[in-house]
Structures are given as C-alpha cells and as structure tokens.
Amino acid sequence: MARPDHTQVRTLFFGDMLSPASIPQRPYTECPDVAVLQKEIEAHLVSYNEMSSKPMDLVCFLYMLEHLARVARVIKSPGGNALLVGLGGSGRQSCTRLACYMADFAVFQIEIAKGYDMSAFREDMKKMLTKAGGSEERTIFLFSDTQIKDEGFVEDVNNLLNTGEIPNLFPAEERVAVCEMVRKAAVDEGKAPDGTLTQLFAFFIERCRAMVGCVVCFSPIGDNWRTRLRQFPSLVNCCTIDWYTAWPPDALMAVATKFLEAIPDLDNEVRQNCVEMCQYFHLSSKKLAVRFEDELKRIYYSTPTSFLELIQTFKSLLGEKRDSISSLKSKYEVGLEKLTTTEQSVEGMKQELIALQPKLVEKNKEVGEMMIVVNEESAKTEKVKEVVAADEAVASKAAAEADGIKKECEEALAEAMPALNEALKALDTLSSKEIAEVKAMKNPAAPVRLVLSAVCVLRNVKPVRVKDESGKMVDDFWPAAVKMISDMGFLQSLQTFDKDNIPPATIKKIAEYTVKEDFQPDRVQKSSTAAWGLCMWVRAMETYDRVAKVVAPKKDSLAEAEAAYQGVMGKLQEKRAELQKVMDELTALNEKLSSLRQEQDNLTNEVDLCQKKLERAETLITSLGGEKTRWTQNAIDLAADYVNLTGDVIVASGLIAYLGAFTPDFRESAVREWAGESRERAIPGSEKFSLEHCLGEPVKVRAWVVAGLPNDSFSIENGIIMDKARLNRGLCASTHKGRRIGGSRRWVNPFSSWWPSSLMETT
C-alpha cells in the first residue's frame, strides 16, 4: 500500500499541551475534518503494520488522534522532546511509534533483559548517538519508567535532554572514531576549519542534538514520579508535557466496537449491547474505586489496560466456553444418535442372522461332500504314485548299468587316446621339407625303411617285386613308399585314416613290425624326424585297434543297455503323464475345496459377528436405556447454556479485568449490579450469575483446595481469576495496599497469601 502524503495530516488539535485540563474533550461533530484525518492515520497504520515485525492493532478514535498529533508536532520541532504522562496502556508508546513512522524517524528503545545494567545502557546510548550523529539519521529515543533498573539511566536521559550529550560517554579511542565519521561534513559546513578533534567532536554533539529527540513515558502513580521530577528537572524544563488522561466514553466505545467485530455468531443487537456493557464496566469500576477509597482508604485505578484486558478476556473466554459446550453437547447428541441407531439396527441384525443360518448349513453340507470326493481322488493318486515309483526304480537301475558300461568304455579308450593324440600331433609337426628328405634317400636307413613299410601295410599299399643280391625275387616296400609319400594329400590321409575299421590281418602284420628293435621311436628319431612321426602314428594305430577290440563288445552292451533304458523311460513318461493328469485333477479339487472352506469361514464369521453385535446392542440398550432421558435433558441444558454464554462470560470478563482487587462485599455488589445491567440490555445470560459456575472447573478447583486453597467462594473466585486472567498479572495489579516487588510495577494481592508456590508456578 502506498504511504499517504504527510501534508494531508491536519493540525486541528495542536493546542496547549501543558496540563491535563488543557486537553479538549470535543465530540466528533465539532471537528469536521476528523473523518478525513482518521482515514489518513489509518492508512499510515496499515502501512506501518505491513513493514513492522511487531504490528500494532490500534483504533484511531478522536482521543488517540489528538495525542498522536501532539507527539507528531513535538518530535518534528527542532530539539523537540516529549514527556508523556499517563497510566500504563493509555497508548503513549503506540502513538510515539506511529508518529515517528509518519515522520520517517527511526525509533530506538532499549531492551531490558536479565543482567542489563548501567554499562549495557551506556553501550546502547553510544550505538544510538553514533548512528544518529555519525550517519545524520533522525532518531527518537523512546524511554519508559518501567525500563529503569538503575537511577543512573534517568540521570543520563536528563543530561541528553539538557545538553544533547551524555558526559564521558565516549572513551578517547571511540571519540576519535566518531570524529572521523563527521570530518568531511564538518569541513564542508565550515564548522571545523582546523580539523581538530575538539572542533570535530563539537560538531558531532551539535548534530546529535539536532538529530536525536527523546520521548519519555512516565506514570504519575507513586512517589518515584515526584522524586524523579525534583532530582532531574530537565524532564520538565526540556520536554513538552502531554498528559494521557482517562479515555473518554466515545474512545471506549470505538475500541470495544473495533475488537468485538471479530466475534462470530453474535447478533448485531447483542454485539452492540456488549460494546455498551464494556464501556459501562469501565465507568462503573471508576465509581466503585472512589467508594473503595472513601470507605477503606485503598486506591484502585481503572486503566486502559484493564479495559483492553476486559475485551480480550471476553473474546478468548467466549470462544473457549463455546468450544467446550459445543463439544460436550455434541458428545451427548452423538451418544443419543448411537442409542437410536442401535435400537433401529437390532431388528435388522436379527433378520440378518436368521437369513445367514440356512446358508451356513448348506455350505457346511457342500464342504463335506467335496471332502469325500477329494479323499477318493487322493487315494487314486497314491496308487498311481506307487506304480510310477516302481517304474522309476527300474529306470534308475537301467541307467546305472548303462552308466557303468559307458564308464568302462571311457576308461579303456583313455589308454589309446593319448597315444593317438600324440601321434596326430607328431604328424602336425611334419613338414614338406622333411618328407622331401625322405623321398630323396637313395639308400635309407633300416629304421626308416621299416617305418615306411609299416605305413604301406596299414594303408594297404602293395610292395614292389624286385631281385635281391642273390637274384631272388622279393617284396620291396620302398619304391611304393616313395610314391605314397609323394602324394600331396599324404599327411591329410594319415590324419583322417579310418582307425576303427583296420583289418585284423593288417594289425597282425603291424604287430610283427612294432616288436622289432629298429621300430623303436628313439632309434627311428635318430635316423629321421619324419620317420619318427610316422613311427608314432603306426604304433598309435596298433594301440588304438588293440583297445578298440576290447571296447567294441562293451559298446554293444552299452547300446543294448541304453536301448533298454530308453524303453523303460518311455513307459515311465507315460506313467508320469498319467500321474500329472491325476495330480492336476486333485489340485483343482483341492482349490475348489479351499474356496468352499473360505466361504464357509466367511459365513461363520458373519454369523458370529452378527451374534456379537446383537448381544452388544442389546447390552447397550439395556445398560443405557435409563441414560437416554438424562442425556436428552443435558443436551437441552447445554443448548440453553450456550445461548446464555454471552451474558455470563461478559460479566465474568469484567470481574476478572476489574474486580480482583476489591473485597468480597464490593465485588459482590458490583457483580450483582453488572449482571442486572446485562439482563436489562437483553444480553442472554443466566438468571443468577456465578463465576464458579461459569468458569470453574471442578477437578482443578479440587486440586487447589488440596494444595491449600480455602474452600470458600471468595478464595475460589480468586483462584479462577488467577487462572483465567490473560496476562496473569495478579489479583491486585493497581492497588496501593499491595506489596511492590523489585521496583517494578507488579503488585501482589494482599489477601492472596494462601496461594501455594506450586500453583504460582503453574499459573
């Protein structure tokens, strides 16, 4: 929201402000521009609340506008300081803060905490003056008598009002720092031609005097007020005094109207009557205080704080009691509704139970029949399982026999296969060069000739008929061997040789070769590497054939065993398929049986639950049948109490806010008068008001009595006031007969010495 133009703020009420008698009490009709001024101030207030972390909920009535105008005029005057005199809660600090916001002034206020002393106060003063004088920021120092923990605070404020400075506040090193802050400004304005520290500090003090204003808020109650005015005359001589007197009736009405607008579910006529009652309580308590002083010589003050406490207590207590009674009434109504519902549902549950019984009997019969079928199928399945188990035993035996024969074959072949693999490996090492060397031999060595002869025998190569030295015709394998190895596919033919079908005659001839001395691998290798490889191949063929002849019968046996095993397995698979079919049928029957059992269990549970509900409902109706009448009456009574809450709570709020300090006779007469006035104004309330009946909690009151509270109505009322007071200020917050604590403005009730320390802690 845009901030309003300050020039629109009127100066209608800037009159003499030196005494309470000078404050005009004019109705709105005499101030034609008040409505315009009020709108402007409310706009500033809204803007302030949007920007501040501590918003102010203020009502801009005429009395407030007058004091705001006075404070605004004083702080904007050169060297303007203000002494605001009034009781707590009269709006002194709120007016100051709003006026400073409207003038774009900063507000500085100390924050009292535990251990706050003179040293901390002076540190705060240094921060404020350094910021105002060094940065040329217009600042208002807001100081209240409730912040005086040391009379030295007032002495420093007195010096600040009188001279604009606090003597000996800045040490030498800090003085140099603040002088440097203002050096440029002082030189530019010609106030420090020589630039000495004395000239610079004087300029700093002059700027502080121009930039800092003080607003001091004091209460006129007590001797400290008069004593401080005598000891520190600057509070009067250097300040413009503004007296905050009692709020006028129209101010009370405006404030009450503003805050009571937020109460929901309240008739407009009743709301207006409540506003008038709040005003009536405040004015009536003043008259009661006069009689209290005349008769008992005890002083009581009705302050704006008490009025605000009345309104806030009324709002909070009305909301709490409405919630409490609504909750209790709702519980009774819910209980009655449950009773009615139970009565209506009993007959329905009986019918439901009657309908469920035949279904349960039928379902039990169906489950029994299904169990017979499942048992018969289970017996059949067991027989099939036995047959399949016997066949599996036979198949396992056949498989074991076949595995044994196969293992024997593999063990026999394990003897020949390494030699065969080694021979094939040796063949892989042969090269065409080595073969060519063998072919080139004209007169080969005996081992070479013998090896090639054996190869020719294995490959069924016929020898050549030649004449020997004696001229006799003999067989010679060498020419045939040379021709054989000259073939391009010779080595490949050896690797692919059909070793499983070597004729027995050939093997017999080879056996004649292998036993010869020249056919031994070591001797052959010395003659020719190529011949050694061929020798290893021939010996491997002979070994493989020898082993194969042993393995062959076993292979036949293995084939027969595997054939027998396959036959058995074929029959076994048929039996297994038959068994699986039976098992599937049995599984389907079991699933159906499980489903029927689940339905049976559900029906049983429904019947059992229906029986239990019926029993509980009948027990509830029997047990609470007599309570129905009482609950109905209680609900009616609570509805009436809810209607009467407004009148009872507003009288109770007035008692809490104003009558705590009064003796029983004064309190009783005031309550009787206020309750009668409330009924005359047509505010709904009980015929006979009682604070204990309205706000008392029996359990809590009993705990107080056990803790030592006297069991009389006046003491119980005091306890309720202490418990319900929003600020827990004590019963006698403004009476001179109370005992003052630690220099503060908190008072202890003179007739509350009975109050136990444990309850003081809880309240």
Side-chain angles (χ1 to χ4, degrees):
M1 177 181 291
R3 296 187 59 183
D5 186 2
H6 294 316
T7 59
Q8 297 179 2
V9 179
R10 303 297 190 268
T11 57
L12 280 169
F13 315 113
F14 294 171
D16 184 15
M17 298 180 290
L18 296 179
S19 68
S22 65
I23 299 177
Q25 302 293 333
R26 293 172 292 184
Y28 281 95
T29 53
E30 296 180 13
C31 306
D33 291 335
V34 166
V36 178
L37 177 62
Q38 182 178 358
K39 291 182 180 179
E40 298 291 341
I41 298 303
E42 287 175 349
H44 282 285
L45 179 61
V46 170
S47 178
Y48 173 85
N49 290 337
E50 289 176 351
M51 299 178 61
S52 175
S53 59
K54 297 180 180 179
M56 299 184 296
D57 193 6
L58 304 180
V59 181
C60 298
F61 48 86
L62 178 60
Y63 178 84
M64 176 265 189
L65 298 178
E66 292 175 347
H67 287 285
L68 177 65
R70 295 188 183 102
V71 174
R73 189 187 72 172
V74 171
I75 64 175
K76 294 190 72 173
S77 301
N81 302 305
L83 173 61
L84 309 183
V85 184
L87 299 178
S90 55
R92 298 165 299 172
Q93 296 189 40
S94 299
C95 286
T96 302
R97 292 182 183 279
L98 184 56
C100 291
Y101 176 76
M102 292 165 57
D104 289 326
F105 292 171
V107 177
F108 182 85
Q109 189 172 22
I110 62 174
E111 295 183 3
I112 301 298
K114 185 178 180 181
Y116 193 88
D117 55 8
M118 192 65 192
S119 176
F121 177 77
R122 290 214 157 196
E123 287 296 325
D124 285 340
M125 292 298 99
K126 282 193 286 186
K127 291 178 183 178
M128 179 188 71
L129 294 176
T130 301
K131 188 174 182 180
S135 303
E136 198 174 6
E137 180 177 343
R138 190 66 187 270
T139 304
I140 298 298
F141 175 48
L142 180 58
F143 184 70
S144 172
D145 55 355
T146 59
Q147 298 172 327
I148 301 175
K149 295 188 66 176
D150 188 322
E151 291 300 321
F153 292 4
V154 188
E155 182 178 356
D156 284 350
V157 172
N158 181 76
N159 290 328
L160 189 63
L161 290 170
N162 191 21
T163 63
E165 67 170 324
I166 299 175
N168 303 319
L169 181 64
F170 292 96
E173 60 275 10
E174 294 183 9
R175 180 175 293 196
V176 172
V178 298
C179 288
E180 291 301 323
M181 292 179 65
V182 300
R183 178 181 294 276
K184 184 177 184 305
V187 172
D188 292 343
E189 295 182 16
K191 299 295 182 67
D194 300 329
T196 62
L197 291 180
T198 302
Q199 293 174 342
L200 293 174
F201 192 72
F203 178 77
F204 172 76
I205 296 301
E206 181 182 350
R207 181 181 278 185
C208 287
R209 190 180 296 113
M211 292 292 107
V212 177
C214 295
V215 175
V216 184
C217 303
F218 274 21
S219 171
I221 300 175
D223 297 332
N224 289 335
W225 156 252
R226 292 184 290 272
T227 301
R228 287 168 181 155
L229 290 183
R230 286 194 297 267
Q231 290 180 346
F232 307 108
S234 294
L235 293 174
V236 176
N237 298 336
C238 299
C239 292
T240 300
I241 304 175
D242 184 15
W243 288 83
Y244 283 71
T245 58
W247 284 1
D250 60 337
L252 299 176
M253 289 289 290
V255 172
T257 301
K258 169 69 180 298
F259 288 115
L260 295 188
E261 284 178 353
I263 300 178
D265 302 330
L266 199 63
D267 184 77
N268 290 334
E269 183 178 354
V270 175
R271 191 191 308 274
Q272 182 59 33
N273 291 336
C274 289
V275 171
E276 295 174 0
M277 281 300 296
C278 291
Q279 181 195 46
Y280 176 80
F281 289 162
H282 190 76
L283 299 177
S284 176
S285 64
K286 289 185 176 182
K287 298 177 182 178
L288 190 65
V290 173
R291 186 162 66 90
F292 193 52
E293 182 180 7
D294 292 341
E295 295 181 11
L296 300 181
K297 308 304 180 185
R298 292 166 65 175
I299 301 175
Y300 172 82
Y301 295 97
S302 287
T303 66
T305 300
S306 301
F307 184 72
L308 296 175
E309 176 68 9
L310 162 67
I311 296 173
Q312 296 300 332
T313 303
F314 174 60
K315 290 173 61 178
S316 61
L317 289 181
L318 184 60
E320 291 176 8
K321 293 297 291 182
R322 278 180 170 180
D323 293 342
S324 175
I325 291 179
S326 296
S327 175
L328 190 57
K329 180 172 174 289
S330 175
K331 291 176 182 177
Y332 280 118
E333 290 175 346
V334 169
L336 290 171
E337 181 183 353
K338 293 298 181 183
L339 282 176
T340 304
T341 304
T342 303
E343 291 174 351
Q344 295 173 352
S345 61
V346 166
E347 188 62 31
M349 285 188 285
K350 288 181 179 179
Q351 297 298 326
E352 182 182 356
L353 186 60
I354 293 172
L356 287 175
Q357 290 291 352
K359 293 182 180 179
L360 181 59
V361 173
E362 182 66 25
K363 188 60 65 176
N364 290 339
K365 180 181 178 181
E366 189 176 353
V367 170
E369 294 174 352
M370 181 56 65
M371 287 184 66
I372 294 173
V373 175
V374 170
N375 290 334
E376 292 176 354
E377 291 297 325
S378 298
K380 293 180 182 179
T381 304
E382 290 299 325
K383 292 180 181 179
V384 177
K385 282 184 178 179
E386 292 176 1
V387 174
V388 172
D391 290 346
E392 284 182 345
V394 173
S396 298
K397 183 178 179 181
E401 292 176 356
D403 287 342
I405 297 172
K406 185 178 181 181
K407 186 176 181 180
E408 291 177 1
C409 293
E410 290 174 350
E411 289 176 354
L413 289 173
E415 178 185 354
M417 292 308 294
L420 178 62
N421 293 332
E422 186 175 354
L424 294 175
K425 186 177 180 181
L427 289 176
D428 291 337
T429 61
L430 294 179
S431 64
S432 58
K433 182 179 179 181
E434 293 171 340
I435 297 297
E437 290 177 359
V438 174
K439 289 193 303 180
M441 291 180 181
K442 299 299 183 180
N443 189 16
V448 175
R449 183 181 291 274
L450 187 62
V451 169
L452 288 175
S453 297
V455 173
C456 289
V457 171
L458 276 174
R459 296 195 60 192
N460 199 22
V461 176
K462 302 297 182 181
V464 179
R465 299 288 290 177
V466 297
K467 293 180 179 181
D468 60 2
E469 295 177 356
S470 62
K472 187 178 178 180
M473 296 299 290
V474 295
D475 292 333
D476 188 2
F477 281 98
W478 181 252
V482 171
K483 183 179 179 181
M484 177 185 65
I485 64 177
S486 299
D487 189 0
M488 293 297 293
F490 170 66
L491 293 178
Q492 181 66 28
S493 66
L494 295 181
Q495 292 175 346
T496 60
F497 185 74
D498 186 7
K499 57 185 179 296
D500 292 318
N501 297 306
I502 303 175
T506 303
I507 291 298
K508 186 177 180 181
K509 291 179 182 180
I510 292 299
E512 296 175 357
Y513 284 93
T514 58
V515 297
K516 293 181 179 181
E517 185 178 354
D518 286 341
F519 205 83
Q520 301 306 314
D522 294 340
R523 191 161 186 174
V524 174
Q525 190 174 20
K526 292 179 181 179
S527 300
S528 172
T529 302
W532 173 80
L534 296 174
C535 175
M536 294 296 293
W537 179 79
V538 172
R539 296 180 74 89
M541 293 298 106
E542 188 271 338
T543 302
Y544 182 82
D545 183 77
R546 176 166 43 83
V547 174
K549 287 178 179 179
V550 177
V551 173
K554 294 182 179 180
K555 284 185 175 180
D556 295 338
S557 300
L558 176 62
E560 293 176 1
E562 288 179 345
Y565 174 73
Q566 292 297 330
V568 173
M569 286 302 297
K571 295 180 180 180
L572 180 60
Q573 291 298 333
E574 294 177 0
K575 296 293 180 63
R576 283 178 176 175
E578 182 181 353
L579 176 61
Q580 185 62 41
K581 181 180 179 182
V582 175
M583 291 291 293
D584 292 341
E585 293 176 355
L586 181 61
T587 301
L589 291 174
N590 281 324
E591 290 177 353
K592 186 175 181 180
L593 177 62
S594 176
S595 175
L596 290 175
R597 282 178 173 172
Q598 183 64 39
E599 293 177 4
Q600 181 188 31
D601 293 341
N602 292 339
L603 279 173
T604 304
N605 292 334
E606 287 184 26
V607 171
D608 182 61
L609 181 61
C610 188
Q611 288 176 341
K612 289 180 179 179
K613 285 183 177 180
L614 187 59
E615 292 173 1
R616 293 169 186 164
E618 291 175 346
T619 303
L620 181 64
I621 293 172
T622 303
S623 303
L624 299 180
E627 295 292 323
K628 184 175 182 180
T629 303
R630 187 174 67 85
W631 289 1
T632 303
Q633 185 59 44
N634 287 346
I636 295 173
D637 294 342
L638 288 172
D641 290 343
Y642 187 89
V643 175
N644 293 333
L645 269 181
T646 307
D648 291 347
V649 170
I650 196 169
V651 176
S653 302
L655 194 158
I656 292 172
Y658 292 104
L659 302 183
F662 292 95
T663 58
D665 294 337
F666 282 85
R667 184 185 297 177
E668 183 179 355
S669 64
V671 168
R672 187 167 52 250
E673 178 188 349
W674 292 357
E677 184 69 21
S678 176
R679 288 191 294 271
E680 289 180 6
R681 294 179 183 272
I683 300 176
S686 301
E687 188 65 27
K688 185 177 180 181
F689 172 79
S690 169
L691 183 64
E692 184 176 357
H693 173 75
C694 180
L695 301 180
E697 301 174 31
V699 176
K700 188 177 289 187
V701 171
R702 180 61 182 169
W704 294 343
V705 173
V706 171
L709 175 67
N711 195 13
D712 60 87
S713 60
F714 183 69
S715 298
I716 291 175
E717 281 186 359
N718 287 344
I720 294 173
I721 293 173
M722 287 290 294
D723 183 52
K724 298 298 182 180
R726 192 173 61 92
L727 300 179
N728 290 325
R729 301 183 310 276
L731 296 181
C732 195
S734 307
T735 177
H736 282 314
K737 293 300 181 179
R739 178 168 56 87
R740 195 159 189 174
I741 301 177
S744 68
R745 291 201 175 277
R746 191 162 63 87
W747 301 87
V748 176
N749 182 21
F751 43 83
S752 64
S753 58
W754 53 266
W755 194 258
S757 59
S758 61
L759 292 184
M760 286 295 290
E761 294 174 0
T762 59
T763 56

